[in-house]
Amino acid sequence: MDKLLITGGTPLRGEVEISGAKNAALPSLCAALLTADTVTLENVPELNDIGTTLRLLRKIGVRADRGTPGDASDSHRVRLTANHIECLEAPYELVKTMRASILVLGPLLARFGEAKVSLPGGCAIGQRPIDQHIKGLAAMGADISIEHGFVIARARKLKGARIRTDMVTVTGTENLLMAATLAQGTTVLENAAREPEIVDLAELLIKMGAQITGHGTDRIVIEGVDRLHGATHRVMPDRIEAGTFLCAVAATGGDITLRNADPKSMGATLDKLREAGLKMECGDDWIRATMTERPQAVGFRTQEYPGFATDMQAQLMALNTVADGTSIIAETIFENRYMHVQELRRLGASIDIDGHTAVVIGTPALSGAIVMATDLRASASLVIAGLVAEGETTIERIYHLDRGYERMEGKLVKLGAQIRRVVGTGAPE
């Protein structure tokens, strides 16, 4: 397996290009199942999760091509055509590593009247059940059962319904939103997720001919249409990747500029980083960040958007490990999202856990050690800690990192970091 070797203590300086958002690209790829026409997505990041989704779509029968013919450098454009679907099943071997695979369920059911999707897997940060997906599709008239590890759904024609989920669920909102575009009548999604990635998906669907209002609020209204058509859409920038690089410069010090960033989608993250002492200037698509002193400890509580994102918890915790003062962190979204704590302690961090609350006492310096990545965002937190730690840090099992960050070490090298990848030979354990 690949690993990263980091020699810490170097301030970050320069410019970095933020990639397209993984969490926006994945549902947009699945949305191509809703039409027989070609859907073209731009700014699609090169990530393991994207590759897994493309393999899944090809298995179903979608023609999915990266880049422009004759232009080998154009790897961030994907063309998808679902005009010859060969099977309506998403098998376990392609779904087990990525929970977002469940997003093929709604589109397949809405367009073809049936779907068979393996129960999903992914990072081990919490249970993340799909009961709200099933509840919503059943309210739209689907007959759904779970047999031998598969969700099996059938519906002659989905019908509009008023659906109020028991909890705010991003993938649940995305699945029901896509399914409702081809349902008969009006669907109202209440208690809907408000994340920018939901808005990005809705904007793609509208370009495809869907009639949607209220996206970005907790009440989305969809008027079903008979068919959708092709469209071209640029995936929004990754606000989590941008926040990760900002945490990194806040920890190491320095002066960096993020290009292709979207500060409007990052309000809670930017607020906390300013509180920590990071100086920032923002434009429509860029952020310049400078840090000249030791960061101040900042407490926070993860919440659904527009609150502080659970996907930024580990990175800001890493920053707090070297901050001046004590911070209290409350994780309210996932019950098992402190797996990085043990690894940060190996680097010298002082962190105590009591249930869903973490107390971090900042220390002036961390020390390099061998650590192991346990999930996607935990991997990013270890990179940040390694960048500021004295000596060399080795991060093992970084296949987690490659699920959500596009060539992270290459971008950090351009900012002056001493970091390199060691290519392994074994398969992920």
Side-chain angles (χ1 to χ4, degrees), residues 149-386:
F150 282 86
V151 179
I152 300 174
R154 295 181 178 86
R156 186 182 298 271
K157 179 69 174 178
L158 292 178
K159 300 183 184 303
R162 183 178 296 272
I163 303 167
R164 180 175 180 83
T165 53
D166 299 332
M167 57 183 289
V168 177
T169 162
V170 174
T171 53
T173 298
E174 291 166 343
N175 233 341
L176 298 176
L177 174 60
M178 289 189 284
T181 61
L182 293 178
Q184 184 178 23
T186 302
T187 299
V188 179
L189 302 181
E190 297 181 336
N191 201 29
R194 295 182 284 170
E195 271 71 6
E197 293 80 9
I198 300 284
V199 176
D200 199 63
L201 172 62
E203 290 176 352
L204 165 62
L205 295 170
I206 290 169
K207 291 176 183 177
M208 294 169 65
Q211 298 184 23
I212 303 170
T213 58
H215 43 296
T217 76
D218 62 0
R219 185 177 185 272
I220 305 176
V221 179
I222 308 103
E223 300 286 347
V225 297
D226 291 334
R227 67 177 299 273
L228 297 178
H229 52 72
T232 298
H233 179 71
R234 182 174 178 82
V235 174
M236 67 173 284
D238 194 325
R239 61 192 174 103
I240 305 303
E241 183 191 25
T244 299
F245 277 96
L246 293 177
C247 284
V249 73
T252 65
D255 183 344
I256 68 171
T257 298
L258 308 183
R259 301 294 182 190
N260 188 38
D262 182 14
K264 297 187 296 297
S265 68
M266 299 174 61
T269 296
L270 299 186
D271 287 347
K272 285 298 173 183
L273 286 169
R274 288 191 178 100
E275 190 178 330
L278 187 65
K279 302 293 189 297
M280 284 178 284
E281 302 173 58
C282 299
D284 289 340
D285 60 356
W286 58 270
I287 302 171
R288 182 181 179 186
T290 57
M291 194 70 167
T292 58
E293 56 191 22
R294 185 181 176 188
Q296 296 297 306
V298 291
F300 61 93
R301 181 183 184 88
T302 63
Q303 294 177 306
E304 294 86 359
Y305 191 87
F308 190 88
T310 182
D311 277 357
M312 282 301 305
Q313 177 253 107
Q315 299 91 309
L316 195 55
M317 181 184 284
L319 173 60
N320 276 327
T321 64
V322 293
D324 183 12
T326 299
S327 58
I328 298 176
I329 299 169
E331 173 57 61
T332 71
I333 307 299
F334 294 123
E335 71 275 8
N336 197 26
R337 202 157 202 176
Y338 283 143
M339 291 189 294
H340 49 282
V341 169
Q342 181 176 344
E343 302 305 305
L344 289 172
R345 286 173 178 159
R346 287 180 53 79
L347 298 171
S350 177
I351 308 170
D352 289 323
I353 302 295
D354 183 6
H356 298 296
T357 302
V359 179
V360 184
I361 302 173
T363 180
L366 301 176
S367 58
I370 299 174
V371 292
M372 180 181 70
T374 54
D375 61 72
L376 171 54
R377 305 307 173 186
S379 305
S381 76
L382 296 177
V383 171
I384 293 168

Side-chain angles (χ1 to χ4, degrees), residues 102-121:
I102 195 66
L103 289 170
V104 303
L105 177 62
L108 286 176
L109 181 61
R111 184 173 164 210
F112 299 102
E114 62 180 285
K116 182 179 179 182
V117 181
S118 174
L119 290 170

Side-chain angles (χ1 to χ4, degrees), residues 50-66 78-79 86-87 94:
I50 297 295
T52 298
T53 301
L54 291 176
R55 287 195 297 274
L56 172 58
L57 292 174
R58 290 176 183 130
K59 177 75 172 180
I60 292 172
V62 179
R63 178 179 176 182
D65 300 316
R66 267 197 180 274
V78 178
R79 288 181 172 83
E86 299 168 356
C87 78
L94 288 173

Side-chain angles (χ1 to χ4, degrees), residues 401-419:
L401 190 75
D402 295 334
R403 289 185 54 219
Y405 292 91
E406 184 176 11
R407 292 185 287 273
M408 188 182 201
E409 73 277 8
K411 294 182 179 183
L412 286 168
V413 166
K414 291 182 179 179
L415 296 177
Q418 298 184 55
I419 178 173

Side-chain angles (χ1 to χ4, degrees), residues 388-428:
V388 74
E390 296 175 349
E392 185 174 85
T393 296
T394 301
I395 305 176
E396 299 182 338
R397 297 178 68 181
I398 60 165
Y399 59 87
H400 289 293
L401 190 75
D402 295 334
R403 289 185 54 219
Y405 292 91
E406 184 176 11
R407 292 185 287 273
M408 188 182 201
E409 73 277 8
K411 294 182 179 183
L412 286 168
V413 166
K414 291 182 179 179
L415 296 177
Q418 298 184 55
I419 178 173
R420 65 186 179 91
R421 177 182 293 250
V422 176
V423 178
T425 56

